């Protein structure tokens, strides 16, 4: 029996293949098959069961089978005798011929391993929580493999081989008014641009908050691979190297939408992804309570098992990168605890802590998790958003605010630690009590140029880390910090084209 925490950790040079391929238009359900209703007859695999080479699992009632191939490919196909008479879905992994086994773990994830080496060669990237019961069944109406959690009598979908039911059509194609895509120009420097990406939008229902304008794509759903593919194309055009995903925990809507949408995008190989740990982030966490460290390790294991194996996950110097939101709310945390997390994960993770801010957080020596006894608690630091309404002056722009309030803090942290800053194009929050910070492309460019030229500590070895700058954000429409093209053409493609030009030319730093 395998648990989510026992998935073998593949080295970066031997990462498994990507997400499942799309189904084909194959119909192999007998005409007399009833309208889909989940019963035991539909179930392929119960929790912790395996699909072995030469032992397909067939559902006679529906004329379909799950079959493990000699090259490691797992196939859902028509037929019940081991011979595929029409392929419905496949994982798409093709390795050297040997004996493979696919396991449905007790966290709902599918994992294919080489039985001789025990090496993971493919995973569905859908690790759920322990303590729930999972099973895999066949949906005869939509012809898909579905992993459910719960019971046959009271199930809920954990993941499926494609995302949409008949009542959830995909996002429409790119609107005709959008300009044609262009290939990104080569970067003039080694600067990495990372943009915060939010997969929390429900298609057609953007009623939870007000928005300054509307996306060019309309009120899209982030569980759509079509939406994700367009975002990836635009992100590549803008020179964005990686999406930073705010990860709120297992079975959260953000995780589900990201898995259904972005991880099923056909061009996911064009972008990198990294997780930003944000579990219970608004609350103060006191690490004198052992539960806090246990919770951190548990959730980091879920991130590891769900994403570190993905070919698009961001690695720096062979180390997976994870951001941590609002570490400044962590009390009584220390670097020894961070070592315990890395030991539990089996990876030397490069953690980037969102620590610098105002008040005591301005100074590295006063900050909760800054520099102690001459040594930083975290290896690297970042900022997510430096906006705070008490410091906003009437009529000023985002650029003016960031240069006055954020830049001195950036310069201090950058001289004392390995620090990566963020920029904001504007801030137009839906909350009426928060004053707005309008922005334009010139102010956005000024932030990019200035914050990319921050000093480094005297002890810093050039090239130890890539230079990084974070864009807040790609699509945080609630706070109005997005650079994603909008429908009213208030910003249009201006921000992403300005970013592309900056990436092409590189920062101009004064000596």
């Amino acid at each position: 029996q395998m648990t989510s925490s026992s998935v073998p950790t593949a080295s970066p040079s031997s990462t498994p293949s990507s997400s499942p391929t799309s189904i084909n238009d194959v119909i192999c359900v007998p005409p007399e098959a009833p309208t889909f209703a989940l019963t035991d007859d539909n179930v392929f695999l119960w929790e912790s069961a395996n699909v072995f080479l030469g032992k397909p699992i067939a559902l006679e009632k529906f004329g379909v089978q799950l079959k493990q191939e000699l090259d490691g490919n797992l196939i859902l196909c028509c037929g019940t005798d081991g011979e595929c008479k029409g392929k419905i879905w496949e994982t798409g992994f093709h390795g050297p011929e040997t004996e493979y086994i696919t396991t449905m773990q007790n966290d709902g994830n599918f994992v294919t391993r080489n039985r001789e080496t025990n090496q993971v060669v493919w995973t569905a990237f859908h690790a759920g929580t322990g303590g729930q019961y999972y099973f895999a069944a066949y949906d005869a109406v939509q012809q898909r493999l579905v992993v459910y959690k719960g019971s046959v009598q009271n199930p809920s979908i954990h993941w499926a081989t494609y995302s949409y039911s008949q009542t959830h059509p995909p996002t429409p194609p790119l609107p005709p008014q959008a300009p044609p895509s262009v290939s990104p120009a080569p970067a003039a420097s080694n600067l990495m641009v990372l943009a915060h990406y939010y997969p929390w939008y429900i298609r057609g229902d953007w009623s939870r908050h007000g928005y300054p304008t509307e996306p060019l794509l309309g009120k899209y759903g982030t569980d759509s691979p079509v939406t994700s593919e367009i975002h990836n194309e635009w992100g590549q055009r803008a020179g964005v190297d990686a999406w930073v995903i705010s990860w709120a925990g297992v079975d959260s809507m953000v995780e589900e939408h990201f898995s259904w949408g972005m991880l099923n995008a056909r061009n996911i190989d064009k972008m990198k992804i990294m997780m930003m740990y944000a579990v219970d982030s608004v609350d103060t966490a006191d690490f004198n309570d052992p539960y806090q460290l246990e919770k951190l390790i548990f959730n980091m294991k879920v991130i590891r098992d769900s994403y570190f194996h993905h070919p698009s996950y961001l690695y720096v110097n062979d180390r997976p990168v994870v951001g941590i939101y609002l570490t400044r709310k962590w009390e009584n945390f220390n670097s020894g605890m961070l070592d315990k997390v890395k030991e539990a994960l089996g990876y030397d993770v490069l953690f980037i802590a969102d620590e610098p801010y105002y008040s005591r957080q301005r100074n590295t020596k006063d900050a909760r998790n800054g520099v102690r006894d001459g040594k930083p608690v975290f290896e690297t630091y970042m900022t997510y958003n430096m906006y705070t309404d008490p410091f906003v002056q009437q009529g000023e722009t985002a650029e003016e605010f960031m240069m006055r309030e954020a830049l001195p803090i950036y310069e201090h942290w950058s001289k004392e630690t390995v620090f990566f800053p963020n920029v904001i194009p504007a801030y137009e929050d839906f909350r009426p009590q928060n004053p707005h910070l309008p922005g334009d492309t010139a102010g956005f460019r000024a932030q990019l140029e200035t914050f990319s030229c921050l000093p480094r500590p005297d002890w810093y070895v050039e090239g130890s880390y890539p230079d990084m700058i974070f864009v807040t954000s790609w699509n945080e429409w609630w706070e109005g910090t997005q650079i994603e093209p909008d429908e009213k053409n208030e910003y249009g493609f201006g921000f992403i084209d300005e970013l592309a030009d900056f990436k092409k030319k590189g920062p101009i730093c004064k000596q």
Side-chain angles (χ1 to χ4, degrees):
Q1 175 173 315
M2 292 180 66
T3 65
S4 64
S5 61
S6 63
V7 177
T9 54
S11 65
S13 61
S14 58
T15 52
S17 65
S18 57
S19 297
T21 57
S22 301
I23 64 168
N24 299 318
D25 294 327
V26 178
I27 298 177
C28 53
V29 183
E32 64 272 16
T35 302
F36 177 67
L38 185 60
T39 69
D40 286 355
D41 292 336
N42 300 78
V43 177
F44 274 118
L45 296 167
W46 301 101
E47 188 175 284
S48 302
N50 301 301
V51 184
F52 295 95
L53 181 67
K55 296 181 180 180
I57 299 176
L59 299 179
E60 298 284 346
K61 184 174 182 178
F62 301 101
V64 294
Q65 59 190 335
L66 267 178
K67 182 183 179 185
Q68 182 70 68
E69 297 281 84
L70 187 62
D71 63 356
N73 195 18
L74 181 70
I75 300 175
L76 174 63
C77 62
C78 304
T80 59
D81 58 359
E83 182 180 348
C84 283
K85 301 176 177 65
K87 191 183 300 180
I88 302 173
W89 167 85
E90 63 181 350
T91 65
F93 172 80
H94 300 282
E97 292 189 353
T98 185
E99 188 172 357
Y100 295 89
I101 181 175
T102 297
T103 302
M104 193 187 84
Q105 300 182 150
N106 62 5
D107 60 0
N109 196 20
F110 268 42
V111 172
T112 301
R113 290 174 291 140
N114 181 315
R115 292 198 76 181
E116 181 179 350
T117 64
N118 204 38
Q119 176 68 53
V120 172
V121 297
W122 177 86
T123 171
F125 304 108
H126 289 288
T129 55
Q132 301 195 62
Y133 197 79
Y134 297 88
F135 60 94
Y138 180 62
D139 180 343
V141 173
Q142 299 188 60
Q143 292 190 279
R144 62 178 182 171
L145 177 69
V146 183
V147 175
Y148 294 94
K149 56 186 175 183
S151 64
V152 172
Q153 293 75 30
N154 186 28
S156 61
I157 294 177
H158 177 51
W159 66 274
T161 52
Y162 72 104
S163 321
Y164 298 100
S165 68
Q166 293 172 329
T167 59
H168 191 161
T171 300
L174 192 63
Q177 66 266 35
S181 62
V182 296
S183 299
S189 71
N190 65 348
L191 177 69
M192 291 185 66
V193 174
L194 302 93
H196 291 278
Y197 185 94
Y198 292 93
W200 59 22
Y201 296 105
I202 300 171
R203 185 184 175 204
D205 180 12
W206 282 44
S207 60
R208 287 172 289 173
H209 301 294
Y211 304 92
T213 179
E214 187 170 303
L216 183 61
L217 293 178
K219 296 177 180 178
Y220 57 74
T222 41
D223 56 349
S224 162
V226 178
T227 297
S228 299
E229 287 168 12
I230 297 171
H231 283 166
N232 288 340
E233 180 181 340
W234 287 350
Q236 189 182 21
R237 164 178 170 168
V240 174
D241 295 288
W243 299 128
V244 183
I245 312 300
S246 181
W247 191 83
V250 290
D251 296 332
S252 65
M253 186 184 78
V254 168
E255 185 186 52
E256 290 180 351
H257 274 216
F258 179 70
S259 297
W260 293 346
M262 186 62 72
L263 291 186
N264 283 314
R266 290 169 295 182
N267 58 357
I268 182 61
D269 60 317
K270 303 299 183 184
M271 299 290 290
K272 293 295 182 183
I273 57 173
M274 67 167 275
M275 294 296 125
M276 183 82 164
Y277 180 81
V279 177
D280 301 330
S281 56
V282 298
D283 302 320
T284 298
D286 187 349
F287 279 80
N288 277 337
D289 181 355
Y291 167 73
Q292 295 296 338
L293 184 59
E294 292 170 4
K295 180 176 72 172
L296 177 62
I297 290 174
F298 169 82
N299 284 303
M300 286 296 176
K301 283 183 176 180
V302 175
I303 291 175
R304 176 198 68 186
D305 296 342
S306 300
Y307 305 113
F308 283 7
H309 289 312
H310 197 284
S312 287
Y313 199 84
L314 179 63
Y315 278 72
V316 167
N317 298 329
D318 295 332
R319 302 170 63 189
V321 183
V322 176
I324 305 180
Y325 182 50
L326 292 183
T327 57
R328 59 181 180 269
K329 293 200 172 190
W330 287 9
E331 295 180 341
N332 299 304
F333 186 80
N334 59 63
S335 57
M337 294 177 179
L338 202 60
D339 292 337
K340 289 181 180 179
V341 175
K342 294 180 181 181
E343 182 180 358
L345 296 179
Y347 278 87
D348 183 17
V349 179
L350 177 59
F351 289 109
I352 310 179
D354 175 28
E355 184 74 15
Y357 201 57
Y358 302 104
S359 188
R360 65 180 287 183
Q361 300 300 126
R362 290 178 180 271
N363 190 292
T364 57
K365 295 179 175 60
D366 296 330
R368 274 182 173 155
N369 299 292
V371 177
R372 296 181 192 158
D373 299 323
K375 182 179 179 181
V377 174
F378 287 90
E379 187 176 347
T380 61
Y381 294 90
M382 64 178 292
T383 50
Y384 167 69
N385 191 351
M386 296 298 287
Y387 177 91
T388 182
D389 61 281
F391 295 166
V392 176
Q393 297 181 5
Q394 185 174 4
E396 72 176 336
T397 65
E399 176 199 0
E400 290 168 335
F401 174 86
M402 292 294 285
M403 295 299 184
R404 186 187 67 252
E405 299 293 345
L407 181 56
I409 298 173
Y410 287 1
E411 290 175 331
H412 170 75
W413 278 82
S414 193
K415 289 177 182 177
E416 301 292 329
T417 67
V418 179
F419 170 72
F420 307 119
N422 82 286
V423 300
I424 60 170
Y427 191 93
E428 299 179 342
D429 201 337
F430 69 93
R431 290 163 285 209
Q433 71 272 20
N434 290 344
H436 289 187
L437 291 172
D440 55 27
T441 56
F444 183 55
R445 180 63 170 261
Q447 291 181 62
L448 290 167
E449 294 281 1
T450 302
F451 301 158
S452 296
C453 296
L454 295 171
R456 286 295 187 195
D458 293 338
W459 46 261
Y460 182 76
V461 178
E462 199 65 36
S464 302
Y465 304 89
D467 293 323
M468 296 184 187
I469 193 165
F470 290 82
V471 175
T472 308
S473 64
W474 177 264
N475 63 340
E476 221 294 19
W477 291 87
W478 296 353
E479 293 184 345
T481 62
Q482 73 286 340
I483 64 171
E484 180 186 358
D486 68 308
E487 183 184 50
K488 294 179 181 178
N489 207 34
E490 181 178 351
Y491 307 114
F493 283 76
F495 283 127
I496 70 171
D497 287 344
E498 192 68 42
L499 180 57
D501 186 69
F502 166 76
K503 187 74 180 296
K504 175 183 177 181
K505 296 176 180 177
I508 303 173
C509 300
K510 298 178 182 179
Q511 296 298 322

